[in-house]
Amino acid sequence: MELTRIGEVRRLLAAYGLRPRKSRGQNFLVAAGVLDKILEAAEIRAGDLVVEIGPGLGALTRRLVEDGARVVAVELDAGLLLVLRDVLSDYADRVRLIQADALEVDYDALLKTVVGRQSPEVGPAEGMRDVPFKVVANLPYYITSPFIAGFLEAGYGFERMVLMVQRETAERMVAEPGTKAYGALTVLVCYHTRAEVFWRVSRHCFYPPPAVDSAIIRLFKREQPAVSVLRPDLYFRIVRAAFGQRRKMLPNALDHCIPGLDRKAWTRLIRDVGLDPQARGETLTPEEFGIIADACAQMGFDPPAVV
Ligand code: SAM
């Protein structure tokens, strides 16, 4: 069964009484060459542990398993899970299907159960942060940013993420300061990972075709954050506030984003660290945000002050 042929996708959906649901971002990959590119980016080795989000009809899942991976696949749609159980029945020992909203899963807990069961040498009590895994997915576009942000903020110990995302979102993740695409997502992704756009993908590689083009992005988890800051919570609070009102000058955008720091205090602080208080957040590098955040931390804004 060739799962990336448009005729086969249509036939399978019809056989199970299903239609692609736009509200769930169901655009199935119908280009075998693009699947090859995802696998190339993921560099799967025998025994790799892979989390796949939104397996759909199982085209990518099957290729991951055939390349030797153990896959934990999280799919929201109950109808598609019925298809997946049949399509992947020959690989039941290496695929774990979970019906859940990918935004609500505790991946440490989930992987602990899988590893605990399948690899006796790694006991469940050891915790997942030491067990490397990859995330490989053709993501439903409506969850892309919250999924990536939530996953990074949770601090999971992944080795890399290989994700098909909307092209504009991919560009936001690798954007340079001072560009329109540069924003809070860029800074977050840069803090935790080294990001690269691996391959550009036309909308016509999907059935049904979405309204936008896509890209495969690779995010390699950094061993240490890109920017060393005293208080990451302060750092990201400042970054979010700066981009929340990106057209405003920094002191205005940051006004009261930290209790006790008004516009005047921000102007002074930004000037004291050698930066321009008239600048807008979108022109600051991740390191310059770090300088501002550390100055704040050194002024004694302790955790309870930050809500
Ligand atoms: N992997 C398949 C492929 O490449 O053809 C399907 C990809 S399709 C773009 C996105 C998939 O994510 C669909 O199967 C959809 O049902 C599933 N999905 C949508 N929202 C989800 C969510 N919140 N959590 C998990 N899966 C979700």
Side-chain angles (χ1 to χ4, degrees):
M1 194 190 318
E2 182 45 80
L3 291 170
T4 48
R5 279 219 191 96
I6 192 162
E8 188 57 27
V9 169
R10 280 207 182 108
R11 190 196 65 74
L12 256 183
L13 289 171
Y16 286 81
L18 303 171
R19 281 162 188 261
R21 292 170 74 173
K22 205 174 171 186
S23 64
R24 293 217 164 142
Q26 291 175 356
N27 304 101
F28 302 98
L29 202 50
V30 287
V34 176
L35 215 48
D36 292 340
K37 278 289 165 196
I38 297 176
L39 269 296
E40 187 186 323
E43 296 180 294
I44 298 298
R45 305 272 171 268
D48 272 2
L49 184 58
V50 172
V51 172
E52 186 191 357
I53 306 303
L57 296 169
L60 175 56
T61 326
R62 202 164 73 173
R63 284 290 305 274
L64 287 165
V65 179
E66 283 169 358
D67 279 15
R70 294 171 292 158
V71 181
V72 181
V74 179
E75 172 59 61
L76 182 62
D77 193 298
L80 289 175
L81 275 150
L82 296 176
V83 185
L84 285 164
R85 284 201 184 100
D86 291 345
V87 166
L88 301 172
S89 59
D90 288 348
Y91 308 100
D93 56 331
R94 276 175 292 151
V95 179
R96 175 98 180 267
L97 295 172
I98 308 289
Q99 186 185 2
D101 180 341
L103 295 179
E104 288 178 4
V105 172
D106 175 340
Y107 292 91
D108 268 347
L110 173 61
L111 291 179
K112 212 186 278 183
T113 64
V114 174
V115 174
R117 190 186 298 173
Q118 297 187 345
S119 304
E121 72 274 14
V122 184
E126 290 178 41
M128 277 308 300
R129 305 228 167 215
D130 302 320
V131 180
F133 65 97
K134 297 174 178 175
V135 181
V136 183
N138 175 13
L139 283 178
Y141 293 158
Y142 76 102
I143 68 164
T144 303
S145 296
F147 174 76
I148 294 173
F151 211 88
L152 295 180
E153 283 162 0
Y156 294 124
F158 67 93
E159 186 263 327
R160 78 182 67 180
M161 297 171 106
V162 175
L163 305 173
M164 177 83 73
V165 300
Q166 190 175 325
R167 196 167 300 172
E168 285 71 18
T169 312
E171 278 157 11
R172 280 167 55 206
M173 285 190 255
V174 298
E176 293 294 329
T179 62
K180 214 172 127 213
Y182 182 65
L185 183 67
T186 325
V187 178
L188 178 68
V189 165
C190 165
Y191 183 83
H192 292 283
T193 74
R194 281 187 300 109
E196 68 178 27
V197 177
F198 186 79
W199 197 252
R200 292 183 166 71
V201 179
S202 156
R203 68 193 71 184
H204 302 295
C205 295
F206 301 89
Y207 169 79
V212 290
D213 291 320
S214 296
I216 300 167
I217 187 135
R218 277 210 293 199
L219 309 177
F220 294 96
K221 173 119 175 166
R222 293 182 191 272
E223 284 190 6
Q224 299 297 329
V227 183
S228 166
V229 287
L230 296 168
R231 290 264 311 275
D233 59 334
L234 273 181
Y235 177 71
F236 285 110
R237 171 167 282 254
I238 290 166
V239 167
R240 276 194 297 271
F243 288 107
Q245 303 184 74
R246 57 187 295 145
R247 306 304 302 167
K248 287 192 175 174
M249 288 191 294
L250 269 174
N252 291 336
L254 301 184
D255 190 17
H256 286 109
C257 77
I258 292 172
L261 277 180
D262 63 10
R263 210 160 43 83
K264 276 193 180 153
W266 278 114
T267 305
R268 227 177 7 252
L269 184 150
I270 293 165
R271 190 175 296 127
D272 286 352
V273 297
L275 295 168
D276 178 4
Q278 298 205 316
R280 292 192 302 254
E282 61 190 12
T283 65
L284 258 55
T285 64
E287 292 75 18
E288 287 170 333
F289 278 115
I291 292 168
I292 293 176
D294 278 359
C296 263
Q298 277 157 351
M299 282 172 66
F301 288 92
D302 57 355
V306 179
V307 281

